Amino acid sequence: MDSANKIIKYFEILEYKKIKITLNDGTILFSNLEEFEDVYCFPKKGEWGNVSLDSYGRGLIWSTRFEVHIDQIIDSSYSIQKENNAS
């Protein structure tokens, strides 16, 4: 999936290590970020919900300073859908 002009419109924490993002083109991705858990600043279970969208809409940043870029989220996706009302 090419992410050249895609930005994250919405995101949702599903459970520990799993997120859901909706891109500006209506694509919905469900991703499991467990492959990054060996990164030093990967959030612990209690810190998982303390996350925000970066200022460009191209990644997520946790309070622990762990960051994941849109390309990494796409590569870690286990399900991809389209919004019903995507325009």
Side-chain angles (χ1 to χ4, degrees), residues 30-53:
F30 296 84
S31 296
N32 186 341
L33 302 180
E34 71 181 10
E35 70 182 274
F36 301 106
E37 68 184 327
D38 289 335
V39 175
Y40 174 75
C41 57
F42 190 84
K44 305 287 187 234
K45 192 169 189 171
E47 303 164 322
W48 191 248
N50 198 358
V51 59
S52 59
L53 188 59

Side-chain angles (χ1 to χ4, degrees), residues 44-68:
K44 305 287 187 234
K45 192 169 189 171
E47 303 164 322
W48 191 248
N50 198 358
V51 59
S52 59
L53 188 59
D54 75 9
S55 60
Y56 300 104
R58 302 280 299 157
L60 299 175
I61 305 169
W62 277 259
S63 61
T64 59
R65 295 189 176 185
F66 174 71
E67 297 183 27
V68 66

Side-chain angles (χ1 to χ4, degrees), residues 1-4 6-8 19 21 23 25 27-33 35-36 58 68-80:
M1 175 182 289
D2 178 30
S3 64
K6 295 185 169 85
I7 59 169
I8 300 169
I19 60 170
I21 63 169
L23 303 178
D25 69 352
T27 302
I28 301 168
L29 296 122
F30 296 84
S31 296
N32 186 341
L33 302 180
E35 70 182 274
F36 301 106
R58 302 280 299 157
V68 66
H69 189 266
I70 194 169
D71 292 330
Q72 295 169 304
I73 297 170
I74 291 169
D75 289 345
S76 299
S77 63
Y78 58 87
S79 180
I80 301 172

